[in-house]
Amino acid sequence: MGKAYNWMCAGIAGSGSMLYGYDAAVIAGTFAQPGFLAYFNPSATVLGAIGSIYFAGLLIGLLFVSALADRFGRKRTIQFGAVVGLIGAIFQTAAHEIGLFFAGRVLAGIASGIMLTTVNVYQAEIAPPDLRGTMVAFQIVTLNLAGTLASWVGFACNHSTNLAFQWRFPIGLQCLPAVLLIIGCFFIPFSPRWLISKDRHAEAQVILKRLHDSHHDSTFWEKEYIQISAQLEVEAKEKETASWTHMFTNWNELRRLLIAIAALTSVQTNGAQTIQVYQSVFYAGLGFTTKRILLMVGIFAICNTCGGVTNLILIDRVGRRKLFLSGLVILSVMLGVFAACSERYTSTGNSSWGKAGVSFVMVYIFFFGVTYASSPYAYAAEILPTKNRANGMAISLFVANSITLTFTQVTPIALNKIAWKFNIVFIACNLFFLPIVYFFFPETKGLSLEEVNGAFGERVEVEFKDITDGEVEKVAVVQLEDTHDAKV
């Protein structure tokens, strides 16, 4: 089966990000829908709460996702997240009072916390080294595609004379990817690394063969199994004498955790997430009408998706470090120009400055997609050792999204108080992370997850080049039809 099967699994799992991408994007259009505003009549504080409570739910999901992923497996956890997301979508769609809408946003956030962690971990663990960045990046592309769909559905529904339909239908549409993901998870395998950690070696061998038997090295999957088994055997022994909190006291593990936190936090502080959620408020501040605002929200999503597709092509060719460093510089410049255009519009009232500002927002989000949309997620997942990968991703995303929660809560208030000057905060954050990436982020392009240890100066238990033909021949080949659990 090989590469085609590997991509099918990555695609089905990656569709889990559609829930996060759609729900994060649909709220931007919802804030501009007259039907939503007339029905709930939200103040700036309530708008901030609607935006931030989603991320509060995301943080709740991150609190227990690692326990689920390590106990029940990555794919079952993704399936569970889809069920929670489906319930959240139903609550938001059916809401006739703000409390139920808030509850739906919380559940949607919990589902997103589960998805963001588990999908990244799963895709990193099933991908071959030369395609790992691309496969993890693929989930961000599906996320962006879902956001694009949400934006244009919102624009189309704005033309309806039914005020309830204007905002309920776009929100309700996210039930579809949730149902498809619940079904799709029955057709993908468990993570082979998770299976080996549970001493289910025969199943892991079957799955590794199915995933990677078309590799240019005809013995790749056997060598991969030997390397993974050796590394996990050492990690299992370490876990017998130390709990998962060992990552806070062991410098090598803590260093990798801190770098993962920095990578994911830099995504949340560069401005893209905040601009996406509140772009309708930004555009309104530049003097645009509701229909024009919704149109620009749709164009914004297309630019983001095009950037994400470009990232898909570049990440395993250019490498992670170059994308990080160039992204932080380019995004800072674009934010500075956008702030300058906003200031000139505020001072002169000239609509040309408003249009120029929007143009630079579109350029900004394109380059965000190219350099930053998915690179940090791939990087964080691959630099963490298997024993800590689920816990480490959950902790990293918790820290990063705690900051996002703060931004989403204060943004409407900040825009009222200091307007364009708020962009300076994002520029400062980018400049803060620039030297951190330069000095502390090693390149991981082309390395297996076990070989990433070497990039951090740690021991790789078995190198591919040291595996003998005799060791390869000893690897048992288990036929797919003899292992029922490998199918489900």
Side-chain angles (χ1 to χ4, degrees), residues 159-388:
H159 291 80
S160 172
T161 56
N162 185 324
L163 294 182
F165 182 83
Q166 283 182 353
W167 65 273
R168 292 189 190 275
F169 179 80
I171 290 175
L173 192 60
Q174 65 189 299
C175 294
L176 180 60
V179 171
L180 292 177
L181 181 59
I182 293 168
I183 296 171
C185 280
F186 288 110
F187 298 93
I188 63 175
F190 288 103
S191 160
R193 285 175 171 83
W194 179 79
L195 287 171
I196 292 172
S197 73
K198 301 298 182 182
D199 289 325
R200 294 162 64 174
H201 289 263
E203 296 171 62
Q205 290 176 21
V206 171
I207 291 167
L208 284 171
K209 184 172 186 285
R210 292 172 68 188
L211 290 170
H212 300 154
D213 65 356
S214 64
H215 195 273
H216 59 81
D217 179 353
S218 60
T219 61
F220 175 76
W221 78 264
E222 291 97 331
K223 293 176 181 177
E224 188 180 27
Y225 168 75
I226 292 170
Q227 185 182 66
I228 294 169
S229 298
Q231 199 73 41
L232 290 183
E233 183 179 357
V234 171
E235 292 185 8
K237 291 178 180 176
E238 292 173 353
K239 290 175 72 173
E240 289 176 0
T241 58
S243 70
W244 66 270
T245 56
H246 186 250
M247 74 173 78
F248 298 114
T249 57
N250 179 280
W251 168 243
N252 289 331
E253 294 182 20
L254 179 60
R255 176 192 172 198
R256 291 163 78 163
L257 176 63
L258 291 174
I259 291 175
I261 290 172
L264 292 174
T265 300
S266 65
V267 183
Q268 310 300 325
T269 59
N270 63 28
Q273 299 277 19
T274 305
I275 290 173
Q276 181 184 39
V277 173
Y278 292 111
Q279 58 183 297
S280 58
V281 181
F282 279 96
Y283 302 149
L286 293 173
F288 292 99
T289 63
T290 298
K291 279 188 170 55
R292 184 64 64 86
I293 288 170
L294 291 170
L295 176 63
M296 290 186 296
V297 168
I299 295 172
F300 178 96
I302 290 176
C303 292
N304 193 14
T305 300
C306 290
V309 172
T310 306
N311 180 269
L312 203 66
I313 298 169
L314 294 178
I315 189 168
D316 280 320
R317 292 174 173 82
V318 174
R320 286 59 158 158
R321 273 176 55 87
K322 290 180 181 178
L323 291 176
F324 287 149
L325 293 170
S326 60
L328 290 170
V329 173
I330 294 170
L331 298 183
S332 296
V333 172
M334 292 297 103
L335 283 169
V337 175
F338 173 61
C341 291
S342 299
E343 187 279 330
R344 294 310 301 158
Y345 174 79
T346 302
S347 300
T348 66
N350 188 331
S351 62
S352 297
W353 287 110
K355 293 175 182 177
V358 170
S359 298
F360 277 101
V361 167
M362 302 307 171
V363 175
Y364 164 86
I365 202 61
F366 171 77
F367 278 106
F368 169 78
V370 170
T371 61
Y372 239 90
S374 57
S375 306
Y377 294 95
Y379 190 74
E382 65 193 5
I383 65 171
L384 294 163
T386 300
K387 64 179 179 179
N388 293 335

Side-chain angles (χ1 to χ4, degrees), residues 48-75:
I50 291 173
S52 62
I53 202 168
Y54 173 80
F55 290 98
L58 191 150
L59 296 180
I60 294 171
L62 292 173
L63 289 175
F64 59 82
V65 63
S66 59
L68 291 174
D70 285 339
R71 180 173 181 181
F72 299 106
R74 290 31 169 154
K75 80 163 186 170

